[in-house]
Amino acid sequence: EVQLVESGGGLVQPGGSLRLSCAASELTFSNYDMHWVRQGTGKGLEWVSGIGAAGDTYYPASAEGRFTTSRENDKNSLYLQMNNLRAGDTAVYYCVTGRDWNFDSWGQGTQVTVSS
Amino acid sequence: EIVLTQSPATLSLSPGERATLSCRASQSVSRFLAWYQQKLGQPPRLLIYDASNRATGIPARFSGSGSGTDFTLTISSLEPEDFAVYYCQQRSNWAITFGQGTRLEIK
């Protein structure tokens, strides 16, 4: 079974930065597209970013260039660099993957709180 | 951006009843539509992909149908563990969006 473990969340002030990591195991990481999905407390799911096996990246139109996703295949790791954070970015951030962008594997998530 | 609208927002039913959840896309997504179930405190679980294919380990009481802009998730006979929030998700033009969710609650 695929294991995805997120880390790097925490409390950050508005305007600050944070880098999330995701450690993947029990899969051939370099073969998989990887994504970040977030969920605010009591809210729905929102796709944050995707990165293909070859390193091509995808973002929603609303990303506004503040978030950057990257990967290190030799470390089975996925990253999300978040800059200029706002209160609206407060959420649980999930690392997810699956064939053809159907997400059958999810981490447990890491909490990001943006507050002064 | 393709907007997915789920209905109803809340569905109140009893165990053993049939549940029908709807997801409508603002433009065609062909059959690139998935359904997820989320229980409190847990990450979502993939139920259906490509509109009608059950994911691994998903019981046969869950079925999906539709194409283009209109999709349906049907639970043929509700079990107690099925009461949760359900989301649809589309993948089209290298972007993903989710519906706002339908809460399935016990009547």
Side-chain angles (χ1 to χ4, degrees):
Chain A
E1 183 178 336
V2 173
Q3 300 289 327
L4 302 171
V5 179
E6 303 92 340
S7 60
L11 175 64
V12 60
Q13 292 189 340
S17 297
L18 213 54
R19 189 194 196 207
L20 306 183
S21 299
C22 171
S25 59
E26 306 304 323
L27 78 167
T28 305
F29 182 76
S30 59
N31 289 349
Y32 282 76
D33 294 351
M34 300 295 298
H35 299 258
W36 291 96
V37 173
R38 70 183 183 183
Q39 186 171 36
T41 302
K43 298 185 178 180
L45 302 167
E46 181 182 17
W47 177 62
V48 174
S49 70
I51 184 166
D56 43 316
T57 55
Y58 306 91
Y59 302 95
S62 58
E64 301 175 3
R66 296 185 300 121
F67 293 179
T68 302
T69 192
S70 61
R71 65 191 297 161
E72 288 188 279
N73 287 341
D74 57 345
K75 295 183 178 180
N76 286 2
S77 293
L78 172 72
Y79 306 102
L80 181 67
Q81 176 67 42
M82 303 186 293
N83 298 327
N84 191 20
L85 284 161
R86 310 164 181 167
D89 297 317
T90 295
V92 173
Y93 285 72
Y94 293 105
C95 171
V96 302
T97 191
R99 291 294 184 191
D100 297 326
W101 293 27
N102 296 301
F103 302 146
D104 61 0
S105 297
W106 296 68
Q108 287 301 307
T110 187
Q111 176 71 48
V112 172
T113 302
V114 184
S115 175
S116 55
Chain B
E1 174 182 292
I2 296 176
V3 176
L4 298 179
T5 302
Q6 293 186 239
S7 61
T10 303
L11 184 57
S12 299
L13 294 171
S14 300
E17 291 192 292
R18 181 184 187 90
T20 302
L21 287 67
S22 174
C23 178
R24 176 164 290 178
S26 59
Q27 58 185 274
S28 177
V29 299
S30 184
R31 292 180 59 82
F32 299 138
L33 195 286
W35 291 93
Y36 297 83
Q37 176 194 68
Q38 187 178 31
K39 298 180 180 180
L40 193 63
Q42 298 181 16
R45 177 175 69 148
L46 177 66
L47 299 175
I48 301 287
Y49 65 95
D50 293 348
S52 61
N53 296 301
R54 272 191 302 277
T56 302
I58 301 304
R61 65 180 182 274
F62 291 91
S63 64
S65 64
S67 65
T69 61
D70 290 297
F71 299 86
T72 300
L73 174 70
T74 301
I75 311 171
S76 59
S77 179
L78 286 165
E79 298 288 341
E81 62 267 27
D82 298 336
F83 292 91
V85 179
Y86 292 83
Y87 294 96
C88 57
Q89 171 236 322
Q90 67 82 26
R91 56 182 179 93
S92 182
N93 297 328
W94 304 110
I96 288 170
T97 51
F98 291 90
Q100 82 280 15
T102 289
R103 180 177 303 278
L104 178 55
E105 63 177 27
I106 299 177
K107 186 174 182 180

